[in-house]
Amino acid sequence: MNALFLFASTFLLVFALGLQSLNVNGGHYRMAFFTSFVIGAMQMVLLKLGPDAGALEIAAYLGGGPLGIIASMKAHEYRIARIKRQPTPQ
């Protein structure tokens, strides 16, 4: 069960870090603000579970990051495309 939590927390941490970077570079202040909460929460989980990690947990930890960054890039692409399609309020 710890392996699943480590995978999920690493995935979400890297996902949020990737989104925050893209949002900061794109000037999306609100979205960058909210990703900070996810980053902090996932760091707390990793700090709690990481020190006792065995081989399976380490593999789960290492697997979450690469998948998290790719997912964040795709999610950001999708979200920005949706924002651009919406009509501008007047």
Side-chain angles (χ1 to χ4, degrees), residues 15-30:
F15 184 90
L17 286 167
L19 280 184
Q20 188 177 51
S21 176
L22 291 165
N23 287 326
V24 167
N25 290 332
H28 307 287
Y29 291 90
R30 278 187 230 136

Side-chain angles (χ1 to χ4, degrees), residues 1-72:
M1 191 57 119
N2 277 353
L4 180 61
F5 286 135
L6 277 168
F7 175 83
S9 61
T10 304
F11 179 92
L12 290 172
L13 174 62
V14 175
F15 184 90
L17 286 167
L19 280 184
Q20 188 177 51
S21 176
L22 291 165
N23 287 326
V24 167
N25 290 332
H28 307 287
Y29 291 90
R30 278 187 230 136
M31 291 192 294
F33 175 84
F34 288 111
T35 56
S36 294
F37 292 105
V38 176
I39 292 167
M42 292 307 107
Q43 285 178 331
M44 288 180 68
V45 171
L46 288 173
L47 290 172
K48 182 75 173 164
L49 297 177
D52 298 324
L56 179 61
E57 287 88 0
I58 292 170
Y61 173 84
L62 294 175
L67 296 174
I69 195 63
I70 297 299
S72 75

